[in-house]
Structure formats: C-alpha cells, structure tokens
Amino acid sequence: MSFSNYTMLTIIGCGIATWLSRILPFVLLKKFTLPKIIVEFLSFIPIVIMAALWFSSLFTPSLGHLPKVNVDYVLASLPTFIVALISKSLLVIVLVGVISLALLRLI
C-alpha cells in the first residue's frame, strides 16, 4: 500500500502546522514581554482546559435524551479531587486520576 503524493503533502503540511503552533509562541515570547494583565489571564487557561476535559468526560451525550453520567469517571474523580485540594500539583492530580480510573476498570 503506497501513499499518493497528496497524502504525503497533507501529512507533512499537518506536521508543520502542528509544530509551528506549538513552537512559535515560545520563540516569540522569548523576545517579547507580555503585559501583566495578559499573563494573569493566561495563567487560568490550563485550569479551564482541564475543567472542560473533565466535564466532557463525566457526561455521555445521547440524541433526544439527557446526558448520561459516566459512573467510572465520577468515582475516579473523588480521590482525584481530594488529592487536588491537598497537593495542588497538576502532575499529581493527573496521575491520581489516571490510576484511579485504571483501578476502577480492573475491578
């Protein structure tokens, strides 16, 4: 099975776009300083992204019905939330969440 030229160009183009969107902000921010209000605003973005991912995992949408609660994710969220209050470390919070969900799925 071989890729066509358009497929390879698409893969390369997507790779370049992904690379630029992740690297370019770091390169630009090394040369410029942002105003304090923008830095404060940007400090909340990781929290908002994590909350959005969390809420979208808790509920399973179904057309014509109310969303269903994903019980495994709710149960895994309980120890994760407690650890979040205690540690306030994003790495520890994510690790506890992943481990909690893995243990629930093993049961």
Side-chain angles (χ1 to χ4, degrees), residues 32-103:
F32 302 106
T33 56
L34 296 174
K36 184 178 179 183
I37 192 165
I38 293 176
V39 172
E40 284 182 31
F41 172 75
L42 291 175
S43 70
F44 291 106
I45 289 178
I47 297 168
V48 172
I49 291 171
M50 289 300 292
L53 291 170
W54 179 59
F55 279 115
S56 69
S57 296
L58 288 180
F59 302 103
T60 305
S62 56
L63 292 175
H65 300 285
L66 290 173
K68 296 179 183 175
V69 176
N70 191 333
V71 179
D72 286 346
Y73 287 161
V74 171
L75 292 175
S77 295
L78 297 175
T80 305
F81 184 72
I82 293 168
V83 168
L85 291 175
I86 295 169
S87 75
K88 295 181 178 54
S89 167
L90 186 59
L91 178 63
V92 174
I93 294 167
V94 171
L95 285 175
V96 169
V98 169
I99 292 169
S100 298
L101 187 59
L103 290 175

